[in-house]
Amino acid sequence: MKIVAKKKLWKYLFWLGPFLIAVGLTVGLVSEQWGLIPLAFLITGIVISGLGIILQSYQTNWWNRRSTQAGTNALVATLAVLAILGLINFLGTRYHLRADLTEAQLFTLAPQSRELVRVLPQPVKVWVFDINQNPQDRELLENYQRQSSKFKYEYIDPQARPGLAEKFGVKDYGEVYLESGDKRQLVQTINENERLSEIRLTGRLQQLTNSTTAKVYLLQGHGERQLSPGKDAISQAVQGLGNKNFTTSPLNLGETSKVPQDAAVVIVAGPKRGLFEGEVKALQEYLNRGGNLLLMIDPNTDPKLNSLLQEWGVRLDNRLAVDVSGESVVGLGPAAPLVTEYGQHPITKDFGNGNSFYPIARPLEITSVPGVQATPLLRTKPYPSSWAESDLQSEKLEFNADKDLKGPLTLGVALTRKQTPKSTFTPKASPTPSPLPSPTTQSKTSPTLSPSPKTPQALTLPSPTTQGKALPTSSSQPSSPTLSSQTATESRLVVLGNSDFATDGLFQQQLNGDVFLNSVTWLSQQDQQPLSIRPKEPKNRRITLTTAQGNLLILLSLLLLPLIGFAIAVIIWWKRR
């Protein structure tokens, strides 16, 4: 009887082990803290279960049974599957792997957005004042939040928290605000037809985190692209500059004759007439003092900028760039070169093999100039896919070995040049005035400046004498003049053989807008701003039908198609009968 009682006791104690293990797991999972209490339950349960299994196997020779071996194999296989699933879940939680199959990559942040969020200098928060949490908007905010712990977002009901709504000045449901420190900015107002835009959110985020603004002037007066919306205008490009915290203004050098001092970048976009000689000199002086210039020059035009470009080793080819490889893809004909090869430069570093196209473009010829560093940005495909056509009047473009130039062709180049300002002659003040020497003495002892063609002016000061005798050195003598110089600055120039790519309608196609905006950002020498591919607006795939078209669609789907199916079924039945 005692032996039977002991067996029953060990049996009950054995079941206590799994119970304690279950208690420990439950406590740890619910509290999300694996402290002393859950660990004590787990260890105690494992020890009791182990002792019970050992005792049971010892008394009944349990391990040698065929059923035990089969059960053990099944248990080991089950534990292995659970371990594999647990490892997969762990890796999935720690490392995110997502595949976005949409054409416009709607569920993937653009490289610029990711780069901007990852280097946030301080925490930012997005406040969405709306009751309904749209899944698409929430997914976009989640994508931002995955990039950095400094990015947060929260949905707020304006009626439930009127104080916070009043603090932001909320006037209607759907308003989205961005907050960083003491700065707050309205991003947009969302509704059923307009969802949260990555372009606007990234643009406002860049404006909020970047306190510096740069002034961009666009040259006017020679038939350049107009800045306001219209045919062949660049209003979208100007708006894109505003989204990147640039301020833009037109510039007429015929009126001012000098580039303003606050100009970070000057843009010359597609002039149809030549600049005056004084205007060209004003641009040269601007570059010589450390300025930055973007030239977008179309074929069949002569902007009279050869003297300026010659200093930088750039020559505008008068032929037309032809590319027959992308004719069927772009749909604009062979005179719209499709570029997929980009130079190793900050402007194009993230472009990869992306597409950009340039309708009616001219090639550029680059020669080496001392002190100027040139990097080709845009290159067409090699011959026979592309060449420079000299016969611009012919409707049939064919390569002529005598006149035409084989590809690849350079359509854009970025150049830098160090500028060393001239030294300034600054005499120190004398504490006690000295007697002025005679006129003859002055002519013999006056300091002379010997200019050097490539170096700052050197100062040569002979020994002062009075009537052929040396002056005594004393504290009353004027101090020697000093030579002060500034640190060297850098001028930047980007030349593109086309301006059509930045016009309204083409600006948002492929990488065209990124080429323009990255060029201006690099020229502004704001190296803290990210240069990458910007987010794109999703394409509108909705089909707008008239009333007649809608009724026809209803008849086809509800009447005609079912009748066709029914008729086919009757025919098959009749043949089998």
Side-chain angles (χ1 to χ4, degrees):
M1 296 294 295
K2 291 183 178 180
I3 295 175
V4 174
K6 287 182 178 180
K7 287 183 178 181
K8 290 184 178 180
L9 179 62
W10 275 110
K11 184 178 180 180
Y12 294 143
L13 287 176
F14 173 77
W15 286 109
L16 180 62
F19 173 75
L20 294 177
I21 293 176
V23 171
L25 291 174
T26 303
V27 173
L29 293 174
V30 171
S31 63
E32 296 184 356
Q33 294 180 355
W34 298 93
L36 180 61
I37 295 177
L39 289 178
F41 279 111
L42 287 172
I43 294 173
T44 305
I46 293 173
V47 171
I48 293 175
S49 299
L51 291 176
I53 293 173
I54 294 173
L55 181 62
Q56 184 72 16
S57 64
Y58 176 76
Q59 291 178 348
T60 62
N61 200 17
W62 184 62
W63 285 108
N64 294 328
R65 296 178 182 178
R66 182 176 297 178
S67 60
T68 303
Q69 294 176 359
T72 303
N73 291 334
L75 178 62
V76 171
T78 303
L79 293 176
V81 171
L82 292 176
I84 293 173
L85 292 176
L87 181 61
I88 292 175
N89 286 324
F90 170 76
L91 295 175
T93 303
R94 187 155 189 175
Y95 304 99
H96 297 281
L97 180 60
R98 297 157 56 89
D100 189 354
L101 303 180
T102 58
E103 179 185 0
Q105 298 293 291
L106 299 179
F107 303 102
T108 304
L109 292 182
Q112 188 197 47
S113 301
R114 296 198 300 267
E115 185 177 353
L116 183 64
V117 176
R118 287 172 184 170
V119 297
L120 284 175
Q122 57 185 354
V124 297
K125 189 171 184 179
V126 175
W127 300 88
V128 184
F129 291 91
D130 202 356
I131 300 176
N132 302 318
Q133 299 185 17
N134 183 272
Q136 182 179 339
D137 297 343
R138 192 178 184 90
E139 178 67 20
L140 178 61
L141 294 172
E142 288 285 348
N143 285 340
Y144 276 93
Q145 189 168 264
R146 291 189 189 101
Q147 309 303 320
S148 174
S149 59
K150 294 182 179 180
F151 185 94
K152 303 293 182 183
Y153 74 92
E154 185 176 351
Y155 278 84
I156 299 296
D157 182 2
Q159 297 294 337
R161 300 181 64 178
L164 186 62
E166 184 179 358
K167 174 184 175 182
F168 281 86
V170 178
K171 299 179 181 179
D172 195 5
Y173 283 99
E175 293 187 3
V176 181
Y177 284 86
L178 191 63
E179 181 181 33
S180 177
D182 297 333
K183 299 179 181 178
R184 303 181 189 90
Q185 191 171 16
L186 175 65
V187 178
Q188 69 177 106
T189 302
I190 57 178
N191 51 53
E192 295 181 357
N193 299 323
E194 183 178 0
R195 304 317 315 167
L196 186 60
S197 169
E198 182 187 351
I199 291 181
R200 296 187 183 182
L201 184 55
T202 297
R204 296 296 182 269
L205 187 63
Q206 191 168 19
Q207 292 178 3
L208 198 65
T209 56
N210 183 22
S211 58
T212 61
T213 59
K215 194 66 173 290
V216 176
Y217 286 92
L218 294 102
L219 191 66
Q220 298 288 287
H222 317 89
E224 291 87 354
R225 304 285 181 179
Q226 68 178 45
L227 311 183
S228 57
K231 184 180 179 181
D232 298 331
I234 56 172
S235 62
Q236 292 179 345
V238 173
Q239 182 181 357
L241 292 175
N243 293 336
K244 286 189 63 64
N245 218 22
F246 290 102
T247 57
T248 57
S249 297
L251 173 65
N252 192 328
L253 288 177
E255 299 175 353
T256 61
S257 72
K258 187 177 182 182
V259 177
Q261 293 291 335
D262 62 346
V265 182
V266 174
I267 300 176
V268 182
K272 293 181 174 59
R273 297 181 294 274
L275 278 67
F276 293 115
E277 184 178 353
E279 294 176 309
V280 177
K281 289 183 178 179
L283 293 177
Q284 289 176 316
E285 292 175 359
Y286 170 66
L287 289 173
N288 291 336
R289 69 172 190 255
N292 310 285
L293 183 62
L294 171 60
L295 299 177
M296 300 188 296
I297 311 300
D298 296 314
N300 296 324
T301 60
D302 183 12
K304 305 297 183 182
L305 292 170
N306 293 335
S307 59
L308 184 150
L309 294 173
Q310 187 177 3
E311 296 178 0
W312 293 77
V314 180
R315 189 183 72 85
L316 300 174
D317 197 312
N318 293 324
R319 288 170 286 199
L320 178 68
V322 174
D323 181 7
V324 295
S325 63
E327 180 178 357
S328 59
V329 179
V330 180
L332 298 178
L338 180 67
V339 173
T340 58
E341 181 181 346
Y342 304 92
Q344 297 296 324
H345 192 271
I347 295 177
T348 54
K349 65 177 182 178
D350 292 328
F351 285 6
N353 294 325
N355 298 322
S356 61
F357 55 95
Y358 306 86
I360 315 299
R362 69 193 308 167
L364 307 175
E365 181 182 330
I366 313 300
T367 57
S368 178
V369 172
V372 175
Q373 182 179 358
T375 304
L377 297 178
L378 313 170
R379 292 181 68 86
T380 64
K381 296 178 178 60
Y383 178 82
S385 296
S386 71
W387 68 87
E389 177 66 43
S390 58
D391 188 1
L392 305 183
Q393 306 299 327
S394 175
E395 296 182 358
K396 187 177 182 180
L397 300 176
E398 294 180 347
F399 178 75
N400 188 333
D402 297 333
K403 300 179 181 179
D404 300 339
L405 177 66
K406 292 183 178 181
L409 308 173
T410 299
L411 303 184
V413 62
L415 309 103
T416 58
R417 184 177 67 184
K418 295 293 184 181
Q419 302 290 342
T420 305
K422 293 183 179 181
S423 305
T424 56
F425 176 72
T426 308
K428 292 183 179 179
S430 172
T432 305
S434 303
L436 293 175
S438 61
T440 57
T441 305
Q442 290 180 0
S443 62
K444 295 180 180 181
T445 61
S446 59
T448 60
L449 292 174
S450 56
S452 175
K454 295 184 179 180
T455 59
Q457 292 181 344
L459 178 64
T460 304
L461 185 64
S463 302
T465 55
T466 304
Q467 295 179 355
K469 297 181 180 180
L471 292 174
T473 58
S474 63
S475 59
S476 62
Q477 181 185 349
S479 303
S480 302
T482 61
L483 192 64
S484 62
S485 61
Q486 301 176 359
T487 58
T489 59
E490 183 180 79
S491 296
R492 296 182 177 182
L493 173 66
V494 172
V495 184
L496 304 175
N498 177 260
S499 66
D500 284 290
F501 79 98
T503 55
D504 295 350
L506 299 182
F507 178 80
Q508 295 180 345
Q509 299 293 325
Q510 302 296 326
L511 296 176
N512 287 12
D514 298 295
V515 172
F516 176 83
L517 294 176
N518 279 9
S519 297
V520 177
T521 304
W522 177 76
L523 286 170
S524 67
Q525 303 193 28
Q526 298 186 64
D527 296 331
Q528 74 279 7
Q529 287 207 30
L531 293 174
S532 188
I533 300 176
R534 284 152 190 80
K536 308 296 182 183
E537 287 285 6
K539 293 183 179 180
N540 186 1
R541 298 294 188 183
R542 291 177 293 181
I543 300 176
T544 304
L545 300 178
T546 62
T547 304
Q549 291 172 338
N551 294 333
L552 179 61
L553 183 61
I554 293 174
L555 291 175
L556 290 175
S557 59
L558 298 181
L559 183 60
L560 184 60
L561 292 179
L563 287 177
I564 292 175
F566 181 73
I568 293 174
V570 170
I571 293 172
I572 295 174
W573 171 79
W574 182 261
K575 286 185 175 182
R576 290 185 176 180
R577 179 176 174 274

